[in-house]
Amino acid sequence: MSENGKNSSQKGSKVRVSAGKIKIKENIDIFKCPVCGDGMYVDEFKSIICMKNHCFDISRRGYVNLLLKPPKHKYGKELFKSRSVICQMGFFDPLLESIVRLIYDNISDDIDHVRILDAGCGEGYHLSQVIKKLQENQDTHFQGVGIDISKDAIQIASKNFKGIVWCVADIAKIPFMDKKFDIVLNILSPSNYSEFSRIIRSQGVLIKIVPNSGYLKELRDIFYRGTDKEIYSNEEVIEHFSKNFEVLDTKNVQYSVSLNREQLSHLIKMTPLSWGAAEEIIEKALDSNIDNITADFTVIVGRGKLSN
Ligand SMILES: [Zn+2]
C-alpha cells in the first residue's frame, strides 16, 4: 500500500510512535469506515482515513475513536477504576482460564495467526489477560482487538495494556470488515448477533459469558431482597444466543472469591446491582461483613448459522 512508502520516507522525524499506533497500522486491513464502509489506511500514524477522506484521529496513547456520535449512556470513570481493582485482584481469573482453554479447543492447528475481538471490552483487563495466557505456550500469534462504547474505558485500556488494538466503537455498528476474526469474546456485555456473524470467519467462534443466578448472590440478597429481581435467570439470554448461533459447547464456571472491605466497596461500585440504589442500602452492604462472594457463569461457544 502506498502509505508504507510515505512512512519510510519520514525516518528521522521526532514523532514517537506508540505501541498502540503500530498495532493499528499492522491491523489496518480489518478497519471499515464507519461512515461509508470503505477500507481505511493509516496517515502518518496520526489518523486513519478512508478512500473518501473520512478521517479519525489516533490518540496519543494509540487508540482510535470510531463513534460517529457520543453514546446515550455514559459510564463514569469511577466505575472502570473500581472494575480495574476487582480485575487486578484476580476476581475473574478462573473464568478467564476457562475462556483460554475453550479458545485452544476451538482453533485449528494449521493457523498461525489468530485474531480475537473482545466486543464490549471495558477497561481491557479480560482481553489482555486472555492474550497473555494464550501466548505463554503456543507458537501461534494471537492478536487482540478490543472495542467498547466508553471512551473512558478505552483510555484506561490503552494506557495499561500494550500490544492490543483498542477502539471506541459501538457493537451495533462494528467498524471492521467481514470475516476478520477467528474468535469473538463477549464477556458480561450486550450482544449484537448480526454484527458478530458478519465479522467472524466461517470457522470462527463466538464465546459469550453470561452470569448465572448465583453470580454475586451475597450482594443480590441485600440489594434486591423482596423485589422481582431477587432471582436472576439467564434463560432468555441463552435462548436468544441459540437462535442466532449454533451452540457448540457450554460450560458452567463457579467459584468463590474472598475479599476485604475495600475490595467489597469496589465490587459494589462496579456492579449494576448497586446503580440507583439508596445510600443506606449501599452502606448496609458495606457493613454486612461479607467476606466471600460467589462467581457463577455460563460460557457458551457458538458458530454463526449464516456463515455455513
Ligand atoms: Zn468513509
Side-chain angles (χ1 to χ4, degrees), residues 22-172:
I22 292 168
K23 280 291 157 194
I24 288 175
K25 188 172 167 69
E26 279 174 14
N27 290 275
I28 193 65
D29 65 301
I30 65 174
F31 284 90
K32 175 182 172 176
C33 174
V35 181
C36 70
D38 260 1
M40 305 192 84
Y41 64 95
V42 178
D43 184 30
E44 296 180 3
F45 286 110
K46 287 187 190 129
S47 51
I48 64 173
I49 304 183
C50 80
M51 303 305 164
K52 296 194 179 79
N53 271 332
H54 300 122
C55 178
F56 299 85
D57 290 344
I58 306 175
S59 81
R60 194 169 42 84
R61 278 193 194 139
Y63 68 87
V64 61
N65 184 345
L66 291 161
L67 278 186
L68 300 180
K69 52 182 184 214
K72 284 185 202 127
H73 303 286
K74 196 170 182 293
Y75 301 114
K77 264 189 194 146
E78 288 302 310
L79 180 137
F80 292 109
K81 279 185 191 156
S82 287
R83 197 173 124 158
S84 197
V85 171
I86 295 300
C87 287
Q88 297 290 347
M89 71 173 274
F91 188 90
F92 294 100
D93 287 3
L95 170 66
L96 299 177
E97 290 283 353
S98 320
I99 295 173
V100 167
R101 279 195 298 276
L102 281 167
I103 292 175
Y104 281 141
D105 293 348
N106 283 284
I107 49 171
S108 53
D109 299 332
D110 56 343
I111 46 172
D112 54 7
H113 188 282
V114 176
R115 205 181 260 143
I116 302 176
L117 174 72
D118 186 358
C121 64
E123 72 339 294
Y125 178 85
H126 299 332
L127 178 62
S128 72
Q129 282 300 105
V130 164
I131 297 286
K132 199 167 127 193
K133 284 176 205 280
L134 283 168
Q135 211 67 76
E136 271 167 16
N137 42 18
Q138 282 250 341
D139 298 330
T140 311
H141 175 72
F142 294 91
Q143 179 58 54
V145 179
I147 60 170
D148 201 280
I149 201 160
S150 163
K151 189 176 158 187
D152 289 332
I154 293 295
Q155 276 177 338
I156 299 172
S158 61
K159 184 179 164 206
N160 291 345
F161 307 113
K162 311 294 176 205
I164 289 175
V165 177
W166 299 112
C167 298
V168 185
D170 188 351
I171 62 153

